[in-house]
PDB file of all heavy atoms in Angstrom:
ATOM      1  N   PRO A 457     -51.169 -10.885 -43.054  1.00  0.00           N
ATOM      2  CA  PRO A 457     -51.421  -9.393 -42.959  1.00  0.00           C
ATOM      3  C   PRO A 457     -52.161  -9.056 -41.621  1.00  0.00           C
ATOM      4  O   PRO A 457     -52.811  -9.878 -41.103  1.00  0.00           O
ATOM      5  CB  PRO A 457     -52.346  -9.056 -44.134  1.00  0.00           C
ATOM      6  CG  PRO A 457     -52.772 -10.400 -44.691  1.00  0.00           C
ATOM      7  CD  PRO A 457     -51.973 -11.455 -44.037  1.00  0.00           C
ATOM      8  N   PRO A 458     -51.912  -7.868 -41.136  1.00  0.00           N
ATOM      9  CA  PRO A 458     -52.503  -7.512 -39.723  1.00  0.00           C
ATOM     10  C   PRO A 458     -53.982  -7.407 -39.831  1.00  0.00           C
ATOM     11  O   PRO A 458     -54.546  -6.982 -40.911  1.00  0.00           O
ATOM     12  CB  PRO A 458     -51.809  -6.326 -39.540  1.00  0.00           C
ATOM     13  CG  PRO A 458     -51.335  -5.621 -40.646  1.00  0.00           C
ATOM     14  CD  PRO A 458     -51.019  -6.766 -41.523  1.00  0.00           C
ATOM     15  N   THR A 459     -54.695  -7.810 -38.832  1.00  0.00           N
ATOM     16  CA  THR A 459     -56.056  -7.433 -38.673  1.00  0.00           C
ATOM     17  C   THR A 459     -56.279  -6.073 -38.512  1.00  0.00           C
ATOM     18  O   THR A 459     -55.331  -5.295 -38.331  1.00  0.00           O
ATOM     19  CB  THR A 459     -56.689  -8.318 -37.515  1.00  0.00           C
ATOM     20  OG1 THR A 459     -56.003  -7.700 -36.297  1.00  0.00           O
ATOM     21  CG2 THR A 459     -56.398  -9.717 -37.523  1.00  0.00           C
ATOM     22  N   ALA A 460     -57.400  -5.560 -38.518  1.00  0.00           N
ATOM     23  CA  ALA A 460     -57.703  -4.184 -38.434  1.00  0.00           C
ATOM     24  C   ALA A 460     -57.332  -3.628 -37.033  1.00  0.00           C
ATOM     25  O   ALA A 460     -56.653  -2.591 -36.907  1.00  0.00           O
ATOM     26  CB  ALA A 460     -59.184  -3.841 -38.525  1.00  0.00           C
ATOM     27  N   GLU A 461     -57.503  -4.556 -35.981  1.00  0.00           N
ATOM     28  CA  GLU A 461     -57.095  -4.178 -34.589  1.00  0.00           C
ATOM     29  C   GLU A 461     -55.496  -4.190 -34.460  1.00  0.00           C
ATOM     30  O   GLU A 461     -54.851  -3.146 -34.012  1.00  0.00           O
ATOM     31  CB  GLU A 461     -57.539  -5.143 -33.586  1.00  0.00           C
ATOM     32  CG  GLU A 461     -58.936  -5.222 -33.430  1.00  0.00           C
ATOM     33  CD  GLU A 461     -59.798  -5.947 -34.492  1.00  0.00           C
ATOM     34  OE1 GLU A 461     -59.149  -6.706 -35.322  1.00  0.00           O
ATOM     35  OE2 GLU A 461     -61.045  -5.919 -34.502  1.00  0.00           O
ATOM     36  N   ILE A 462     -54.794  -5.051 -35.081  1.00  0.00           N
ATOM     37  CA  ILE A 462     -53.308  -5.086 -35.219  1.00  0.00           C
ATOM     38  C   ILE A 462     -52.762  -3.973 -36.012  1.00  0.00           C
ATOM     39  O   ILE A 462     -51.763  -3.262 -35.637  1.00  0.00           O
ATOM     40  CB  ILE A 462     -52.755  -6.464 -35.599  1.00  0.00           C
ATOM     41  CG1 ILE A 462     -53.265  -7.550 -34.542  1.00  0.00           C
ATOM     42  CG2 ILE A 462     -51.300  -6.489 -35.759  1.00  0.00           C
ATOM     43  CD1 ILE A 462     -52.677  -7.183 -33.151  1.00  0.00           C
ATOM     44  N   ALA A 463     -53.415  -3.614 -37.080  1.00  0.00           N
ATOM     45  CA  ALA A 463     -52.943  -2.517 -37.935  1.00  0.00           C
ATOM     46  C   ALA A 463     -53.055  -1.042 -37.122  1.00  0.00           C
ATOM     47  O   ALA A 463     -52.164  -0.325 -37.292  1.00  0.00           O
ATOM     48  CB  ALA A 463     -53.800  -2.287 -39.152  1.00  0.00           C
ATOM     49  N   ALA A 464     -54.038  -1.000 -36.243  1.00  0.00           N
ATOM     50  CA  ALA A 464     -54.177   0.187 -35.469  1.00  0.00           C
ATOM     51  C   ALA A 464     -53.015   0.201 -34.353  1.00  0.00           C
ATOM     52  O   ALA A 464     -52.537   1.327 -34.132  1.00  0.00           O
ATOM     53  CB  ALA A 464     -55.492   0.215 -34.673  1.00  0.00           C
ATOM     54  N   VAL A 465     -52.640  -1.039 -33.855  1.00  0.00           N
ATOM     55  CA  VAL A 465     -51.443  -1.030 -32.947  1.00  0.00           C
ATOM     56  C   VAL A 465     -50.243  -0.762 -33.604  1.00  0.00           C
ATOM     57  O   VAL A 465     -49.328   0.109 -33.150  1.00  0.00           O
ATOM     58  CB  VAL A 465     -51.430  -2.439 -32.439  1.00  0.00           C
ATOM     59  CG1 VAL A 465     -50.107  -2.660 -31.414  1.00  0.00           C
ATOM     60  CG2 VAL A 465     -52.558  -2.914 -31.551  1.00  0.00           C
ATOM     61  N   ILE A 466     -50.056  -1.123 -34.830  1.00  0.00           N
ATOM     62  CA  ILE A 466     -48.837  -0.839 -35.693  1.00  0.00           C
ATOM     63  C   ILE A 466     -48.830   0.724 -35.863  1.00  0.00           C
ATOM     64  O   ILE A 466     -47.684   1.320 -35.691  1.00  0.00           O
ATOM     65  CB  ILE A 466     -48.828  -1.646 -36.968  1.00  0.00           C
ATOM     66  CG1 ILE A 466     -48.586  -3.146 -36.712  1.00  0.00           C
ATOM     67  CG2 ILE A 466     -47.892  -1.041 -38.067  1.00  0.00           C
ATOM     68  CD1 ILE A 466     -48.831  -4.099 -37.965  1.00  0.00           C
ATOM     69  N   ASP A 467     -49.811   1.309 -36.196  1.00  0.00           N
ATOM     70  CA  ASP A 467     -49.812   2.765 -36.275  1.00  0.00           C
ATOM     71  C   ASP A 467     -49.337   3.393 -35.005  1.00  0.00           C
ATOM     72  O   ASP A 467     -48.622   4.411 -35.060  1.00  0.00           O
ATOM     73  CB  ASP A 467     -51.282   3.349 -36.702  1.00  0.00           C
ATOM     74  CG  ASP A 467     -51.655   2.943 -38.140  1.00  0.00           C
ATOM     75  OD1 ASP A 467     -50.825   2.627 -38.943  1.00  0.00           O
ATOM     76  OD2 ASP A 467     -52.888   2.950 -38.518  1.00  0.00           O
TER      77      ASP A 467
END
Side-chain angles (χ1 to χ4, degrees):
T459 63
E461 294 83 6
I462 295 300
V465 175
I466 290 170
D467 287 343

